[in-house]
Amino acid sequence: MSSCYQGKLLRVNLTNGTISTESLNQEYAREYIGGRGLGTKMYCEEVGPNVAPLDPANNMYYLTGPLTGTGSPSSGRFMVITRGPLTNTIASSNSGGEFGAEMKFAGYDGFVIEGKSEKPVYLWIDNDKVEIKDASHIWGKEVPDTTDLLRTETSERAKISCIGPAGENLCKFACILNEMNRAAGRSGVGAVMGSKNLKAIAVKGNKPVYVANRDRFATAITEATKALKDNPVTGAGLKAYGTQILINILDQSNGLPVRNFRDSGTIEWADKTSGEYMIEHKNLVRNKGCFSCVIGCGRVTRTFKPYAGFGEGPEYEAGWGFGADCGISDIDAICQANFRCNELGIDAISMPTTIACAMELYESGYMPKEDAGCDLSFGNAAILKELVEKTAYREGIGNLLAEGSYRLAEHYGHAELSMSVKKQEMPAYEPRTLQGIGLEYATSNRGGCHVRGYMTSPEILGIPMKLDPAVTEGKAAVCKIFQDLTSAVDAAGFCLFTTFALDADIIAKVLSAGTGFEYTGEELMKCGERIWNLERVFNNACGFTGADDTLPPRILNEPQKNGAYKGSVNRLHEMLPEYYQLRGWNPSGVPTAEKMQDLNLKQL
Amino acid sequence: MEIKYFAYIRDYTGEKRTSWNESVDDLADLLRQLSKKYGNKFRDAVFDEEQTDLNSEIIILVNGRHVQHLNGIHTKLAANDLVAIFPVVAGG
Ligand code: SF4
């Protein structure tokens, strides 16, 4: 039977140089779909909870979703699944761009990378021909140079996934850049790649991607495309303004964290850092989309003196991070720092939030001036670029910044100033304003993260329903549904932004017609729930407990000082017990035997 | 009263913000007054087709709170209120 899976995985062992292929396990594919789900399942089976993130035995799984590389709209994604050095949890980082589709065209659903090479290498995958090649001459190079050089060396048509100096230097939040500007961004997957001495993967292919039922698939993707085009967010807003448009609405809603979450959720100059301002100020050159995307939210941007540069982004979370979170109002400095993150291979959320933490440590007198090596006060735009570079090369204070905010703050005896969950920094939504996002952050399986549910959608944007951000009632149920849905969407290869317009039923139709496995919307949600629970079971086996499902003390205990939510803290205790109950977990956050059986899961 | 506009609503108003000193009863009243000033495009963006309720593709905040969680289009307004008007276009 034809299907949109290629049915084949590539396995490369960098320790002994062996290269092999194997068939996709169809049973796993049915239950875990692909991408994040299948990768986590394979990781749990093959590696398990007893391998440290930077140990050569920590495998990396580059996995596409079944829809990746098909004509399905906005579904060209792939994921990198491994155990992450920032959090020590399972780390699944999602990326757009063109790389995922090219993996499929080369004939693979995924690559499994094992072991560690003695010297720097890269993989060159040209359809069935796979080589491990010397990368000594590109080790140390930044992402744009690496990408260009490898295209010259392999093929102009090759798609390149690589790390920058940050990954080589094992920065704990190094990312992997795909086609220069699309990142598998969070949790330090780039450091895992660096620890293997693997600089890059170049891939090219010309194989077809079939679907199980062409007519049904065509009908389903027509319906999905129409829904995406008719929706105000996916049909117009994201294309016109990109995600940086969120700055003003979060600011006006008093949900914009300011200066390491120290100040309340609004700042008078927010508009100067907004998506609207970037158009007015001529930062925006044009918009850009990933493979098969009908939304096209990406931004090609430029900046002006004294912060001149050219690149892509920032996404809202990075723009907020270098902006309001660092107390910086200069959009050119913000964009330039984001460009440097992409060029050096650093997560553009954990970088600025770690700098914001350093700024508070410095202003509070906990970090000595000699350590800082510069004026680390909030608002000092001139130091951003240098701090990003120092982090990538682990120079001076950068050596501590490269450990992430938690280890940095702990070093100075004030771990409470790290605005992180499970040691990963929380992004751009104030949990004392948005109660539900607090629950989402606390329970995310990879630490502080906004794409493990996206409660901002109902709490601020009113999609698909309008929930009052200030109330806790009912949030646990919605959070669980969003977490399960986004797990399935990640696994399928769809971009998460499609969920503004597509519900589980439409996604299930596309997936069924493509894969030949029949899913109802309900079954799709169950797959998502299975993925979520497997991640949880893995984290629990690594030693995480319910006590880790928490938020920084500031968010739980320090009331907001002014604004619409003056006096509020996050009331996690009102949501968490209900959330555990709805999940079928015991009061310590452990899935019950019945829940495990229901989802066909086993203890690790 | 201060009123702020965002995204393409600014194309309809031609300004980012305005101070409104007329006497205003509730949000519906304010939006009617503003529609007279800015014209049909603005009116059609903020009101539904019957012009009795808010357009489903608009977000209006009064002092940082979504009017849906206050009293919707009938939310009472006072002289020193801050009103922010956004189209539903954002995602991130
Ligand atoms: S919506 Fe944006 S991030 Fe998602 S696939 Fe399209 S261009 Fe890429």
Side-chain angles (χ1 to χ4, degrees), chain B residues 34-74:
Chain B
L34 292 175
S35 295
K36 276 199 194 122
K37 177 175 177 189
Y38 297 125
N40 293 352
K41 276 196 175 163
F42 179 86
R43 184 197 64 201
D44 295 346
V46 295
F47 284 109
D48 68 357
E49 274 182 31
E50 290 78 41
Q51 292 184 37
T52 50
D53 208 344
L54 292 173
N55 191 314
S56 61
E57 294 183 4
I58 201 85
I59 296 174
I60 301 187
L61 307 170
V62 174
N63 302 324
R65 301 279 292 143
H66 196 306
V67 292
Q68 172 78 18
H69 313 305
L70 300 169
N71 199 16
I73 197 164
H74 305 299

mmCIF file of all heavy atoms in Angstrom, chain B residues 34-74:
data_model
loop_
_atom_site.group_PDB
_atom_site.id
_atom_site.type_symbol
_atom_site.label_atom_id
_atom_site.label_comp_id
_atom_site.label_asym_id
_atom_site.label_seq_id
_atom_site.Cartn_x
_atom_site.Cartn_y
_atom_site.Cartn_z
ATOM 1 N N LEU B 34 -16.873 57.121 17.010
ATOM 2 C CA LEU B 34 -15.612 56.980 16.261
ATOM 3 C C LEU B 34 -15.885 56.631 14.794
ATOM 4 O O LEU B 34 -15.164 57.069 13.896
ATOM 5 C CB LEU B 34 -14.718 55.909 16.894
ATOM 6 C CG LEU B 34 -14.138 56.235 18.273
ATOM 7 C CD1 LEU B 34 -13.385 55.022 18.824
ATOM 8 C CD2 LEU B 34 -13.205 57.440 18.218
ATOM 9 N N SER B 35 -16.924 55.839 14.545
ATOM 10 C CA SER B 35 -17.260 55.464 13.164
ATOM 11 C C SER B 35 -17.624 56.698 12.344
ATOM 12 O O SER B 35 -17.333 56.778 11.155
ATOM 13 C CB SER B 35 -18.426 54.477 13.132
ATOM 14 O OG SER B 35 -18.039 53.273 13.743
ATOM 15 N N LYS B 36 -18.280 57.666 13.021
ATOM 16 C CA LYS B 36 -18.604 58.921 12.310
ATOM 17 C C LYS B 36 -17.317 59.628 11.915
ATOM 18 O O LYS B 36 -17.190 60.164 10.818
ATOM 19 C CB LYS B 36 -19.435 59.823 13.225
ATOM 20 C CG LYS B 36 -20.893 59.472 13.172
ATOM 21 C CD LYS B 36 -21.771 60.609 13.692
ATOM 22 C CE LYS B 36 -23.163 60.073 13.925
ATOM 23 N NZ LYS B 36 -23.631 60.243 15.292
ATOM 24 N N LYS B 37 -16.352 59.604 12.804
ATOM 25 C CA LYS B 37 -15.096 60.288 12.517
ATOM 26 C C LYS B 37 -14.298 59.560 11.429
ATOM 27 O O LYS B 37 -13.772 60.181 10.513
ATOM 28 C CB LYS B 37 -14.266 60.389 13.801
ATOM 29 C CG LYS B 37 -12.902 61.020 13.570
ATOM 30 C CD LYS B 37 -12.108 61.249 14.843
ATOM 31 C CE LYS B 37 -10.740 61.811 14.476
ATOM 32 N NZ LYS B 37 -9.813 61.894 15.560
ATOM 33 N N TYR B 38 -14.203 58.230 11.543
ATOM 34 C CA TYR B 38 -13.275 57.499 10.665
ATOM 35 C C TYR B 38 -13.936 56.879 9.435
ATOM 36 O O TYR B 38 -13.225 56.468 8.520
ATOM 37 C CB TYR B 38 -12.557 56.399 11.454
ATOM 38 C CG TYR B 38 -11.686 56.928 12.566
ATOM 39 C CD1 TYR B 38 -11.860 56.489 13.877
ATOM 40 C CD2 TYR B 38 -10.675 57.857 12.307
ATOM 41 C CE1 TYR B 38 -11.061 56.960 14.906
ATOM 42 C CE2 TYR B 38 -9.876 58.338 13.337
ATOM 43 C CZ TYR B 38 -10.074 57.878 14.637
ATOM 44 O OH TYR B 38 -9.281 58.344 15.640
ATOM 45 N N GLY B 39 -15.226 56.726 9.434
ATOM 46 C CA GLY B 39 -15.893 56.223 8.226
ATOM 47 C C GLY B 39 -16.238 54.739 8.258
ATOM 48 O O GLY B 39 -16.047 54.043 9.257
ATOM 49 N N ASN B 40 -16.713 54.267 7.094
ATOM 50 C CA ASN B 40 -17.317 52.931 7.015
ATOM 51 C C ASN B 40 -16.343 51.785 7.244
ATOM 52 O O ASN B 40 -16.707 50.758 7.805
ATOM 53 C CB ASN B 40 -17.990 52.739 5.658
ATOM 54 C CG ASN B 40 -19.186 53.652 5.539
ATOM 55 O OD1 ASN B 40 -19.578 54.302 6.518
ATOM 56 N ND2 ASN B 40 -19.754 53.722 4.350
ATOM 57 N N LYS B 41 -15.125 51.947 6.755
ATOM 58 C CA LYS B 41 -14.179 50.833 6.920
ATOM 59 C C LYS B 41 -13.956 50.562 8.404
ATOM 60 O O LYS B 41 -13.913 49.413 8.845
ATOM 61 C CB LYS B 41 -12.844 51.174 6.251
ATOM 62 C CG LYS B 41 -12.840 50.881 4.773
ATOM 63 C CD LYS B 41 -11.422 50.853 4.264
ATOM 64 C CE LYS B 41 -11.393 50.435 2.813
ATOM 65 N NZ LYS B 41 -10.121 50.774 2.181
ATOM 66 N N PHE B 42 -13.813 51.625 9.145
ATOM 67 C CA PHE B 42 -13.645 51.480 10.587
ATOM 68 C C PHE B 42 -14.894 50.857 11.197
ATOM 69 O O PHE B 42 -14.819 49.885 11.955
ATOM 70 C CB PHE B 42 -13.359 52.845 11.228
ATOM 71 C CG PHE B 42 -13.191 52.779 12.724
ATOM 72 C CD1 PHE B 42 -11.955 52.487 13.288
ATOM 73 C CD2 PHE B 42 -14.279 52.983 13.572
ATOM 74 C CE1 PHE B 42 -11.814 52.408 14.667
ATOM 75 C CE2 PHE B 42 -14.137 52.898 14.952
ATOM 76 C CZ PHE B 42 -12.896 52.617 15.496
ATOM 77 N N ARG B 43 -16.038 51.393 10.803
ATOM 78 C CA ARG B 43 -17.314 50.890 11.352
ATOM 79 C C ARG B 43 -17.459 49.383 11.085
ATOM 80 O O ARG B 43 -17.771 48.603 11.972
ATOM 81 C CB ARG B 43 -18.479 51.653 10.708
ATOM 82 C CG ARG B 43 -19.840 51.279 11.266
ATOM 83 C CD ARG B 43 -20.944 51.724 10.334
ATOM 84 N NE ARG B 43 -20.838 51.011 9.055
ATOM 85 C CZ ARG B 43 -21.381 51.428 7.911
ATOM 86 N NH1 ARG B 43 -22.037 52.563 7.858
ATOM 87 N NH2 ARG B 43 -21.243 50.715 6.812
ATOM 88 N N ASP B 44 -17.176 49.000 9.839
ATOM 89 C CA ASP B 44 -17.353 47.586 9.490
ATOM 90 C C ASP B 44 -16.335 46.688 10.190
ATOM 91 O O ASP B 44 -16.583 45.492 10.374
ATOM 92 C CB ASP B 44 -17.252 47.406 7.971
ATOM 93 C CG ASP B 44 -18.388 48.115 7.260
ATOM 94 O OD1 ASP B 44 -19.369 48.499 7.954
ATOM 95 O OD2 ASP B 44 -18.291 48.317 6.041
ATOM 96 N N ALA B 45 -15.200 47.253 10.553
ATOM 97 C CA ALA B 45 -14.193 46.453 11.264
ATOM 98 C C ALA B 45 -14.591 46.222 12.721
ATOM 99 O O ALA B 45 -14.299 45.168 13.282
ATOM 100 C CB ALA B 45 -12.832 47.129 11.189
ATOM 101 N N VAL B 46 -15.252 47.195 13.315
ATOM 102 C CA VAL B 46 -15.546 47.044 14.751
ATOM 103 C C VAL B 46 -16.935 46.452 15.047
ATOM 104 O O VAL B 46 -17.113 45.778 16.046
ATOM 105 C CB VAL B 46 -15.364 48.376 15.534
ATOM 106 C CG1 VAL B 46 -13.910 48.805 15.509
ATOM 107 C CG2 VAL B 46 -16.263 49.488 15.009
ATOM 108 N N PHE B 47 -17.907 46.716 14.144
ATOM 109 C CA PHE B 47 -19.256 46.194 14.377
ATOM 110 C C PHE B 47 -19.533 44.956 13.542
ATOM 111 O O PHE B 47 -18.951 44.778 12.476
ATOM 112 C CB PHE B 47 -20.298 47.256 13.991
ATOM 113 C CG PHE B 47 -20.440 48.368 14.987
ATOM 114 C CD1 PHE B 47 -19.978 49.646 14.682
ATOM 115 C CD2 PHE B 47 -21.038 48.154 16.223
ATOM 116 C CE1 PHE B 47 -20.111 50.689 15.587
ATOM 117 C CE2 PHE B 47 -21.177 49.201 17.139
ATOM 118 C CZ PHE B 47 -20.708 50.467 16.823
ATOM 119 N N ASP B 48 -20.469 44.136 13.995
ATOM 120 C CA ASP B 48 -20.929 43.024 13.154
ATOM 121 C C ASP B 48 -21.872 43.571 12.075
ATOM 122 O O ASP B 48 -22.136 44.779 12.039
ATOM 123 C CB ASP B 48 -21.591 41.935 14.004
ATOM 124 C CG ASP B 48 -22.909 42.385 14.633
ATOM 125 O OD1 ASP B 48 -23.294 43.572 14.449
ATOM 126 O OD2 ASP B 48 -23.545 41.575 15.318
ATOM 127 N N GLU B 49 -22.388 42.679 11.238
ATOM 128 C CA GLU B 49 -23.174 43.150 10.092
ATOM 129 C C GLU B 49 -24.409 43.943 10.495
ATOM 130 O O GLU B 49 -24.763 44.935 9.871
ATOM 131 C CB GLU B 49 -23.579 41.963 9.205
ATOM 132 C CG GLU B 49 -22.494 41.640 8.200
ATOM 133 C CD GLU B 49 -22.878 40.508 7.277
ATOM 134 O OE1 GLU B 49 -24.078 40.349 6.993
ATOM 135 O OE2 GLU B 49 -21.957 39.783 6.860
ATOM 136 N N GLU B 50 -25.052 43.503 11.571
ATOM 137 C CA GLU B 50 -26.271 44.205 12.020
ATOM 138 C C GLU B 50 -25.933 45.489 12.783
ATOM 139 O O GLU B 50 -26.821 46.245 13.153
ATOM 140 C CB GLU B 50 -27.123 43.308 12.934
ATOM 141 C CG GLU B 50 -27.792 42.145 12.242
ATOM 142 C CD GLU B 50 -26.837 40.997 11.973
ATOM 143 O OE1 GLU B 50 -26.021 40.694 12.861
ATOM 144 O OE2 GLU B 50 -26.876 40.447 10.858
ATOM 145 N N GLN B 51 -24.677 45.665 13.044
ATOM 146 C CA GLN B 51 -24.193 46.813 13.836
ATOM 147 C C GLN B 51 -24.811 46.873 15.227
ATOM 148 O O GLN B 51 -25.062 47.945 15.777
ATOM 149 C CB GLN B 51 -24.439 48.113 13.088
ATOM 150 C CG GLN B 51 -23.562 48.204 11.854
ATOM 151 C CD GLN B 51 -23.701 49.521 11.146
ATOM 152 O OE1 GLN B 51 -23.841 50.550 11.775
ATOM 153 N NE2 GLN B 51 -23.647 49.472 9.833
ATOM 154 N N THR B 52 -25.073 45.679 15.766
ATOM 155 C CA THR B 52 -25.612 45.641 17.123
ATOM 156 C C THR B 52 -24.598 45.057 18.091
ATOM 157 O O THR B 52 -24.703 45.224 19.297
ATOM 158 C CB THR B 52 -26.882 44.774 17.176
ATOM 159 O OG1 THR B 52 -26.588 43.522 16.553
ATOM 160 C CG2 THR B 52 -28.032 45.457 16.471
ATOM 161 N N ASP B 53 -23.626 44.346 17.574
ATOM 162 C CA ASP B 53 -22.619 43.739 18.457
ATOM 163 C C ASP B 53 -21.233 43.941 17.850
ATOM 164 O O ASP B 53 -21.095 44.468 16.747
ATOM 165 C CB ASP B 53 -22.912 42.244 18.637
ATOM 166 C CG ASP B 53 -22.387 41.727 19.979
ATOM 167 O OD1 ASP B 53 -21.558 42.437 20.606
ATOM 168 O OD2 ASP B 53 -22.796 40.636 20.396
ATOM 169 N N LEU B 54 -20.229 43.466 18.583
ATOM 170 C CA LEU B 54 -18.870 43.620 18.083
ATOM 171 C C LEU B 54 -18.602 42.615 16.966
ATOM 172 O O LEU B 54 -19.106 41.490 16.999
ATOM 173 C CB LEU B 54 -17.861 43.390 19.220
ATOM 174 C CG LEU B 54 -17.865 44.448 20.320
ATOM 175 C CD1 LEU B 54 -16.944 44.017 21.461
ATOM 176 C CD2 LEU B 54 -17.406 45.799 19.763
ATOM 177 N N ASN B 55 -17.786 43.004 16.024
ATOM 178 C CA ASN B 55 -17.311 42.100 14.993
ATOM 179 C C ASN B 55 -16.519 40.982 15.666
ATOM 180 O O ASN B 55 -15.767 41.238 16.622
ATOM 181 C CB ASN B 55 -16.406 42.895 14.033
ATOM 182 C CG ASN B 55 -16.082 42.119 12.785
ATOM 183 O OD1 ASN B 55 -15.734 40.942 12.854
ATOM 184 N ND2 ASN B 55 -16.194 42.779 11.650
ATOM 185 N N SER B 56 -16.696 39.750 15.182
ATOM 186 C CA SER B 56 -15.992 38.642 15.842
ATOM 187 C C SER B 56 -14.482 38.702 15.583
ATOM 188 O O SER B 56 -13.704 38.010 16.227
ATOM 189 C CB SER B 56 -16.548 37.305 15.357
ATOM 190 O OG SER B 56 -16.330 37.211 13.961
ATOM 191 N N GLU B 57 -14.076 39.553 14.628
ATOM 192 C CA GLU B 57 -12.645 39.631 14.324
ATOM 193 C C GLU B 57 -11.998 40.881 14.906
ATOM 194 O O GLU B 57 -11.061 41.444 14.346
ATOM 195 C CB GLU B 57 -12.445 39.541 12.806
ATOM 196 C CG GLU B 57 -12.871 38.164 12.296
ATOM 197 C CD GLU B 57 -12.632 37.954 10.809
ATOM 198 O OE1 GLU B 57 -12.072 38.838 10.152
ATOM 199 O OE2 GLU B 57 -13.019 36.881 10.319
ATOM 200 N N ILE B 58 -12.510 41.321 16.033
ATOM 201 C CA ILE B 58 -11.927 42.500 16.673
ATOM 202 C C ILE B 58 -11.659 42.197 18.147
ATOM 203 O O ILE B 58 -12.378 41.421 18.768
ATOM 204 C CB ILE B 58 -12.879 43.729 16.522
ATOM 205 C CG1 ILE B 58 -12.119 45.024 16.696
ATOM 206 C CG2 ILE B 58 -14.059 43.642 17.453
ATOM 207 C CD1 ILE B 58 -11.460 45.494 15.431
ATOM 208 N N ILE B 59 -10.577 42.766 18.654
ATOM 209 C CA ILE B 59 -10.289 42.639 20.087
ATOM 210 C C ILE B 59 -10.279 44.046 20.668
ATOM 211 O O ILE B 59 -9.538 44.904 20.182
ATOM 212 C CB ILE B 59 -8.917 41.969 20.321
ATOM 213 C CG1 ILE B 59 -8.919 40.527 19.800
ATOM 214 C CG2 ILE B 59 -8.533 42.002 21.807
ATOM 215 C CD1 ILE B 59 -7.561 39.845 19.850
ATOM 216 N N ILE B 60 -11.098 44.272 21.662
ATOM 217 C CA ILE B 60 -11.091 45.588 22.312
ATOM 218 C C ILE B 60 -10.794 45.408 23.794
ATOM 219 O O ILE B 60 -11.410 44.577 24.474
ATOM 220 C CB ILE B 60 -12.430 46.328 22.095
ATOM 221 C CG1 ILE B 60 -12.663 46.484 20.581
ATOM 222 C CG2 ILE B 60 -12.418 47.684 22.808
ATOM 223 C CD1 ILE B 60 -13.843 47.338 20.181
ATOM 224 N N LEU B 61 -9.800 46.162 24.235
ATOM 225 C CA LEU B 61 -9.417 46.105 25.646
ATOM 226 C C LEU B 61 -9.767 47.433 26.294
ATOM 227 O O LEU B 61 -9.549 48.490 25.702
ATOM 228 C CB LEU B 61 -7.908 45.886 25.785
ATOM 229 C CG LEU B 61 -7.289 44.705 25.037
ATOM 230 C CD1 LEU B 61 -5.762 44.795 25.089
ATOM 231 C CD2 LEU B 61 -7.744 43.380 25.635
ATOM 232 N N VAL B 62 -10.323 47.372 27.489
ATOM 233 C CA VAL B 62 -10.536 48.590 28.266
ATOM 234 C C VAL B 62 -9.688 48.464 29.528
ATOM 235 O O VAL B 62 -9.854 47.515 30.298
ATOM 236 C CB VAL B 62 -12.031 48.797 28.608
ATOM 237 C CG1 VAL B 62 -12.197 49.991 29.545
ATOM 238 C CG2 VAL B 62 -12.840 49.004 27.339
ATOM 239 N N ASN B 63 -8.754 49.370 29.665
ATOM 240 C CA ASN B 63 -7.789 49.338 30.778
ATOM 241 C C ASN B 63 -7.134 47.962 30.908
ATOM 242 O O ASN B 63 -6.990 47.420 32.007
ATOM 243 C CB ASN B 63 -8.464 49.726 32.093
ATOM 244 C CG ASN B 63 -9.078 51.107 32.016
ATOM 245 O OD1 ASN B 63 -8.529 52.002 31.364
ATOM 246 N ND2 ASN B 63 -10.236 51.289 32.627
ATOM 247 N N GLY B 64 -6.793 47.376 29.764
ATOM 248 C CA GLY B 64 -6.049 46.113 29.779
ATOM 249 C C GLY B 64 -6.908 44.866 29.856
ATOM 250 O O GLY B 64 -6.392 43.754 29.809
ATOM 251 N N ARG B 65 -8.230 45.027 29.981
ATOM 252 C CA ARG B 65 -9.100 43.855 30.089
ATOM 253 C C ARG B 65 -9.919 43.716 28.811
ATOM 254 O O ARG B 65 -10.499 44.695 28.326
ATOM 255 C CB ARG B 65 -10.053 44.006 31.291
ATOM 256 C CG ARG B 65 -9.335 44.183 32.627
ATOM 257 C CD ARG B 65 -8.878 42.858 33.203
ATOM 258 N NE ARG B 65 -10.001 42.050 33.610
ATOM 259 C CZ ARG B 65 -10.064 40.724 33.479
ATOM 260 N NH1 ARG B 65 -9.050 40.067 32.950
ATOM 261 N NH2 ARG B 65 -11.121 40.053 33.884
ATOM 262 N N HIS B 66 -9.973 42.507 28.280
ATOM 263 C CA HIS B 66 -10.785 42.223 27.091
ATOM 264 C C HIS B 66 -12.250 42.490 27.447
ATOM 265 O O HIS B 66 -12.727 42.004 28.479
ATOM 266 C CB HIS B 66 -10.579 40.749 26.717
ATOM 267 C CG HIS B 66 -11.033 40.397 25.335
ATOM 268 N ND1 HIS B 66 -12.291 40.667 24.870
ATOM 269 C CD2 HIS B 66 -10.381 39.781 24.306
ATOM 270 C CE1 HIS B 66 -12.403 40.237 23.614
ATOM 271 N NE2 HIS B 66 -11.253 39.698 23.248
ATOM 272 N N VAL B 67 -12.945 43.248 26.600
ATOM 273 C CA VAL B 67 -14.324 43.618 26.955
ATOM 274 C C VAL B 67 -15.243 42.406 27.089
ATOM 275 O O VAL B 67 -16.263 42.472 27.775
ATOM 276 C CB VAL B 67 -14.942 44.632 25.962
ATOM 277 C CG1 VAL B 67 -14.232 45.972 26.078
ATOM 278 C CG2 VAL B 67 -14.927 44.097 24.539
ATOM 279 N N GLN B 68 -14.875 41.325 26.454
ATOM 280 C CA GLN B 68 -15.649 40.083 26.594
ATOM 281 C C GLN B 68 -15.776 39.698 28.069
ATOM 282 O O GLN B 68 -16.773 39.143 28.499
ATOM 283 C CB GLN B 68 -14.931 38.965 25.826
ATOM 284 C CG GLN B 68 -15.506 37.581 26.017
ATOM 285 C CD GLN B 68 -16.774 37.377 25.194
ATOM 286 O OE1 GLN B 68 -17.022 38.126 24.255
ATOM 287 N NE2 GLN B 68 -17.571 36.380 25.571
ATOM 288 N N HIS B 69 -14.732 40.003 28.843
ATOM 289 C CA HIS B 69 -14.737 39.629 30.265
ATOM 290 C C HIS B 69 -15.240 40.789 31.133
ATOM 291 O O HIS B 69 -15.167 40.728 32.356
ATOM 292 C CB HIS B 69 -13.345 39.161 30.690
ATOM 293 C CG HIS B 69 -12.756 38.179 29.719
ATOM 294 N ND1 HIS B 69 -13.416 37.026 29.362
ATOM 295 C CD2 HIS B 69 -11.610 38.195 28.987
ATOM 296 C CE1 HIS B 69 -12.698 36.371 28.462
ATOM 297 N NE2 HIS B 69 -11.603 37.061 28.210
ATOM 298 N N LEU B 70 -15.673 41.868 30.482
ATOM 299 C CA LEU B 70 -16.311 42.976 31.207
ATOM 300 C C LEU B 70 -17.793 42.885 30.825
ATOM 301 O O LEU B 70 -18.429 41.906 31.145
ATOM 302 C CB LEU B 70 -15.669 44.313 30.809
ATOM 303 C CG LEU B 70 -14.148 44.385 31.115
ATOM 304 C CD1 LEU B 70 -13.517 45.601 30.476
ATOM 305 C CD2 LEU B 70 -13.896 44.384 32.615
ATOM 306 N N ASN B 71 -18.280 43.852 30.071
ATOM 307 C CA ASN B 71 -19.698 43.753 29.684
ATOM 308 C C ASN B 71 -19.861 43.876 28.167
ATOM 309 O O ASN B 71 -20.810 44.493 27.687
ATOM 310 C CB ASN B 71 -20.492 44.817 30.456
ATOM 311 C CG ASN B 71 -21.974 44.495 30.477
ATOM 312 O OD1 ASN B 71 -22.372 43.361 30.176
ATOM 313 N ND2 ASN B 71 -22.800 45.476 30.778
ATOM 314 N N GLY B 72 -18.903 43.336 27.439
ATOM 315 C CA GLY B 72 -18.984 43.324 25.979
ATOM 316 C C GLY B 72 -19.167 44.716 25.408
ATOM 317 O O GLY B 72 -18.568 45.691 25.896
ATOM 318 N N ILE B 73 -20.020 44.838 24.409
ATOM 319 C CA ILE B 73 -20.241 46.127 23.737
ATOM 320 C C ILE B 73 -20.935 47.130 24.664
ATOM 321 O O ILE B 73 -20.930 48.330 24.429
ATOM 322 C CB ILE B 73 -21.027 45.913 22.415
ATOM 323 C CG1 ILE B 73 -20.891 47.144 21.522
ATOM 324 C CG2 ILE B 73 -22.481 45.553 22.686
ATOM 325 C CD1 ILE B 73 -21.273 46.911 20.073
ATOM 326 N N HIS B 74 -21.508 46.612 25.745
ATOM 327 C CA HIS B 74 -22.185 47.510 26.700
ATOM 328 C C HIS B 74 -21.292 47.911 27.869
ATOM 329 O O HIS B 74 -21.776 48.471 28.853
ATOM 330 C CB HIS B 74 -23.467 46.849 27.206
ATOM 331 C CG HIS B 74 -24.381 46.439 26.086
ATOM 332 N ND1 HIS B 74 -24.907 47.351 25.202
ATOM 333 C CD2 HIS B 74 -24.807 45.223 25.669
ATOM 334 C CE1 HIS B 74 -25.628 46.711 24.289
ATOM 335 N NE2 HIS B 74 -25.577 45.410 24.547
#
